Amino acid sequence: MYQNYKNWYIFLVQGIEETAADTIQKVKAIKKLLEGTVEKVKTNAPKIYSKELVETLFENPYCKVEFIVKSLGVERKAASRYLHQLEDIGILKCIKVGKDNLFINIGLMGLLKE
């Protein structure tokens, strides 16, 4: 009976170890994507670059104008312009959901789907 429990515990610990290793790799990939996104925005849209803007894009796999308004303290018009510029340089993809525009973080969504 002890052997059955021992095998079960080993199985559980191995599962936890594999999950932890996968999670660490995912976090590293997200960090690398964040750093790459910072550089891409600095290079391709320097007038709108801010660390807070890019970090907001990584809080969720999607972003709304309201998220940028709240995060950066800018007006809706400016927030919308920022998001559309980020779409123009290939970081975001805008989709219409009801009356709202959702801006999908293409790279982050891809990583989360893996």
Side-chain angles (χ1 to χ4, degrees):
M1 185 156 165
Y2 168 76
Q3 186 63 31
N4 288 340
Y5 284 118
K6 181 180 175 185
N7 290 339
W8 178 247
Y9 290 137
I10 289 171
F11 173 76
L12 286 176
V13 169
Q14 286 173 337
I16 292 168
E17 180 181 29
E18 289 175 19
T19 301
D22 289 346
T23 301
I24 289 168
Q25 291 305 315
K26 183 86 62 177
V27 168
K28 286 180 179 179
I30 291 170
K31 183 177 185 240
K32 184 177 178 182
L33 178 63
L34 173 62
E35 291 166 354
T37 302
V38 163
E39 291 307 313
K40 188 170 185 176
V41 175
K42 279 182 179 180
T43 301
N44 297 303
K47 290 182 180 180
I48 68 165
Y49 170 75
S50 76
K51 184 178 179 188
E52 294 80 15
L53 172 61
V54 177
E55 287 177 348
T56 301
L57 303 177
F58 281 79
E59 290 176 3
N60 291 297
Y62 67 92
C63 190
K64 294 180 175 183
V65 170
E66 293 82 26
F67 296 1
I68 302 302
V69 169
K70 183 178 177 183
S71 175
L72 301 181
V74 296
E75 294 184 14
R76 288 185 57 81
K77 189 173 182 177
S80 178
R81 188 177 71 249
Y82 294 172
L83 292 171
H84 284 287
Q85 285 180 330
L86 293 169
E87 180 182 25
D88 291 343
I89 64 172
I91 293 170
L92 303 176
K93 178 182 179 186
C94 181
I95 60 169
K96 190 91 168 155
V97 178
K99 62 180 181 168
D100 293 324
N101 285 331
L102 293 181
F103 292 85
I104 307 300
N105 183 329
I106 299 166
L108 182 58
M109 185 64 82
L111 283 175
L112 294 175
K113 284 183 177 180
E114 289 178 0

